[in-house]
Amino acid sequence: MLRYQDHVFSLVLRMLTHREAAEDVTQEAFVSAWRHIDTFRGGSFRSWLFTIAANRARDELRKGVRRPTTSLDAARDDPDRADIDPPEPGPSPEGVAEQGEVRAAIEVALATLPPDWREVIVMSDIHGMDYAEIAAATGVALGTVKSRLSRARSRLREVILESRELSEVAQRLSDRR
Amino acid sequence: MMWWRRRALEAPTTPLERLQERASAYIDGELTEAERVAFEAELASSEVARDHVDDLRQVRIALAGIGTVRAPRSFALLAPPAPVRVGPRRLEWATRAGTGVAALLFVVALTNSSSAGDTPVVFATAPRESASSAANQAGGQAGGQPAPKNDSANAAPPAAPTSTPIANTTPRSASPGAGAAGAVAPGAATPGTAPAGTPSAAPAFAPATAPAPGTPASGSASENPPPSAAPATATATAPAPTDPPPHGAGPAGAGGGMGGATTGSGTIAPSPFGPVGVPTATTGPAGAAPATAPPASPPPRLLGTPSSGATPQAATALATATATVAAFSEAGPAATATGADPFRPDPRDAGPVFARPTPDTGTVVENPMYVPAPTPVAVEAMRAPAPAGTDAAAPSSDWTGGTVAALGALTVLLGGASVAQFAARRRHSR
């Protein structure tokens, strides 16, 4: 579980956009996984764990008003931002600052997406799950996954294009790869 | 939102959306071989498609760049979580079934009760007379004049010393006994031996006063109102007579349940409700020679009344009352009918028995002092109550308020248990 706790927490945090709630839900997800380990039929353990975590996060989202859900808006000035792993080790200080800005901007843009879209795009583009895994974890059809992912990307694309700086940074990142 | 509607809304509707979806699947490698070939041909011919693919790639790379978030703490479980104990499913179903049955009964009871105009529980209907009129009718005044039948209230003392409310739940079946609220003195020669005769639920006795000797005997006795009537008073003033009572061996009738006012001339104005209570000798019509009460002392025991429990006031009144019960002028047909010996031995205390309730009505007919009530007083077991003094609104339903409340509480209890079980199982299943 230690191997997956960052992934699970990251997924839940981006679904809920609230750190404390994400901690609680992550803990509940691990407890639930422990209790129902006998129901694991093999296959990808990460997908199975993500399914539990995503279900818990959706339950938390349905509760809705219990917790504020905009903590990522303050992510730019949040010192806890240092917890976010850098994508590449050893960048220059300018690069770190730049990546930090891009990361914060993308987090904010992610938070503007509908939860269904956000869940799918996080699973796909951040955690690298394929469509079948996403469909299994979210309980929706493969075509729905495809459609949600396309719309989420298009929305983020619009957000990125609206921000000139962000667009340039994204372009540089794309060229670097 | 239903899945088919959501799916319809999420399906691409415009050519641009279809292009976006294909482009998104293309960069993810999720297109089939045929779709990929077709899309690459489209890319070769369409600059818009190429731009779109490039934009989506940038987004994808940007998203991949933000990476995962480090967990703020370890979520490793140091110990296995405590098992959740959930009751057997059989208990769940039993609880649900019980909830349904209780709810059904509750609805039936509620409907039945409301249609019947339920009121607090009483066991019998009450006579139609109002409490005040009953009390008034019960009053009597001595003074040498026989109290008029059914109309002696005006002669009752205006300021009744005591007034005790009558419990609404007094069973009508206790009416004969309750009517004997008046204490009974078996004879003038046995002062202080106040006999039994006060049921616990009976109306209060009014204190009897015994003025100094020398004054003519005068007794006023107010009839105890019928059960479920308003508080009534019963007073008995029995000044010691200067003259010996006309019938020295006669029992005192202060506060007698018969409600008759013992007059100086030895007449009793009978109450319309007065069941039984005055131990009396065989009496005749007014002016007739009074019968002699059994001189022997075990105090007479009244049927339907406990053998003890007379109030101190009544005991004092009876002990000091030396008035003689003489003829009961308007004692009614029963009094005249049983001329010889209305008493019969009580097998329990060998005392005389003054009355015997009839099995169906509960009234006493064999007491020579019995005066029938103006309206039949019948016992109807398990009937809901009527307002005091009337049976107009007496419900015809056996569903009482208590039953309805109990069923409602049971429904809530079982329903809560069922919901709790369901929630526990749902938590456990996650």
Side-chain angles (χ1 to χ4, degrees):
Chain A
M1 289 194 180
L2 288 175
R3 184 192 305 174
Y4 297 109
Q5 70 174 9
D6 287 350
H7 295 275
V8 171
F9 178 73
S10 179
L11 168 69
V12 172
L13 175 62
R14 283 173 177 135
M15 285 180 69
L16 299 179
T17 67
H18 190 273
R19 182 170 287 270
E20 293 177 1
E23 288 183 28
D24 293 344
V25 169
T26 303
Q27 186 69 72
E28 291 172 6
F30 280 119
V31 170
S32 182
W34 181 291
R35 283 190 177 133
H36 300 90
I37 192 68
D38 54 335
T39 63
F40 177 56
R41 305 288 183 214
S44 171
F45 183 76
R46 189 184 67 163
S47 296
W48 181 73
L49 203 56
F50 272 29
T51 302
I52 295 174
N55 288 337
R56 288 277 176 180
R58 277 193 293 272
D59 289 345
E60 188 71 15
L61 280 173
R62 288 192 194 101
K63 296 175 186 174
V65 296
R66 212 175 70 173
R67 292 185 171 112
T69 58
T70 56
S71 67
L72 283 180
D73 289 341
R76 296 176 195 184
D77 303 324
D78 190 354
D80 289 343
R81 225 161 17 111
D83 290 338
I84 298 175
D85 292 338
E88 294 178 5
S92 63
E94 294 82 7
V96 170
E98 193 175 71
Q99 287 178 0
E101 289 181 5
V102 172
R103 195 177 295 131
I106 291 176
E107 295 279 10
V108 172
L110 268 178
T112 63
L113 294 177
D116 292 343
W117 297 6
R118 191 164 65 235
E119 178 183 17
V120 169
I121 199 171
V122 166
M123 286 182 177
S124 170
D125 291 349
I126 297 178
H127 297 285
M129 297 170 70
D130 60 29
Y131 287 10
E133 287 178 322
I134 295 171
T138 57
V140 298
L142 203 65
T144 305
V145 171
K146 193 184 296 185
S147 173
R148 287 180 182 176
L149 186 58
S150 167
R151 294 183 183 214
R153 281 172 176 163
S154 298
R155 175 77 63 84
L156 283 180
R157 171 178 166 266
E158 292 171 4
V159 172
I160 289 173
L161 290 178
E162 285 174 1
S163 170
R164 185 177 177 183
E165 292 181 2
L166 191 60
S167 179
E168 291 175 355
V169 171
Q171 183 64 45
R172 280 201 299 272
L173 287 173
S174 178
D175 294 341
R176 199 180 299 168
R177 298 193 178 202
Chain B
M1 187 183 300
M2 297 301 170
W3 63 269
W4 62 85
R5 180 166 173 74
R6 186 174 57 201
R7 199 169 176 185
L9 289 175
E10 290 180 349
T13 54
T14 64
L16 179 61
E17 286 181 350
R18 282 193 285 272
L19 172 64
Q20 288 174 345
E21 187 170 317
R22 284 200 303 274
S24 178
Y26 174 75
I27 63 174
D28 288 333
E30 294 284 345
L31 291 177
T32 62
E33 186 63 22
E35 289 172 338
R36 187 183 62 81
V37 170
F39 187 71
E40 285 179 348
E42 187 178 355
L43 283 178
S45 62
S46 171
E47 187 176 355
V48 175
R50 285 196 299 272
D51 290 345
H52 202 82
V53 168
D54 289 342
D55 290 344
L56 290 183
R57 278 203 176 111
Q58 285 185 15
V59 171
R60 189 165 178 251
I61 289 170
L63 281 173
I66 66 174
T68 58
V69 181
R70 189 181 306 155
R73 59 183 174 87
S74 172
F75 294 103
L77 302 175
L78 300 178
V84 178
R85 298 184 66 84
V86 180
R89 280 197 178 273
R90 200 180 306 165
L91 182 62
E92 267 188 71
W93 285 110
T95 308
R96 290 177 191 176
T99 305
V101 171
L104 186 65
L105 286 175
F106 174 67
V107 171
V108 170
L110 198 63
T111 306
N112 205 338
S113 173
S114 61
S115 64
D118 199 3
T119 49
V121 178
V122 164
F123 299 100
T125 56
R128 293 183 182 279
E129 280 71 15
S130 66
S132 59
S133 66
N136 290 339
Q137 288 175 355
Q141 182 178 14
Q145 297 177 358
K149 183 178 182 179
N150 295 339
D151 194 18
S152 60
N154 294 332
T162 60
S163 176
T164 303
I166 302 171
N168 280 337
T169 55
T170 300
R172 173 54 57 94
S173 59
S175 293
V184 176
T190 59
T193 58
T198 306
S200 58
F205 287 93
T209 59
T215 57
S218 66
S220 69
S222 295
E223 164 65 1
N224 291 307
S228 78
T233 60
T235 61
T237 57
T242 303
D243 299 328
H247 312 290
M258 287 295 292
T262 303
T263 65
S265 61
T267 61
I268 287 181
S271 165
F273 300 111
V276 177
V278 178
T280 176
T282 304
T283 59
T292 302
S297 285
R301 182 183 168 282
L302 298 179
L303 280 181
T305 62
S307 58
S308 63
T311 61
Q313 294 91 340
T316 304
L318 294 171
T320 55
T322 56
T324 305
V325 175
F328 300 92
S329 58
E330 298 176 4
T336 58
T338 58
D341 183 9
F343 305 108
R344 62 181 169 80
D346 188 328
R348 284 171 287 188
D349 57 6
V353 176
F354 295 92
R356 182 174 61 224
T358 56
D360 54 348
T361 63
T363 56
V364 179
V365 297
E366 291 191 1
N367 191 310
M369 296 179 65
Y370 170 74
V371 178
T375 56
V377 181
V379 174
E380 297 181 21
M382 300 305 293
R383 291 298 299 269
T390 177
D391 60 352
S396 60
S397 168
D398 288 344
W399 294 98
T400 63
T403 308
V404 175
L407 285 172
L410 185 64
T411 303
V412 170
L413 198 65
L414 288 175
S418 182
V419 169
Q421 287 175 345
F422 176 75
R425 183 165 294 281
R426 194 173 159 80
R427 273 198 307 272
H428 180 68
S429 65
R430 281 178 180 170

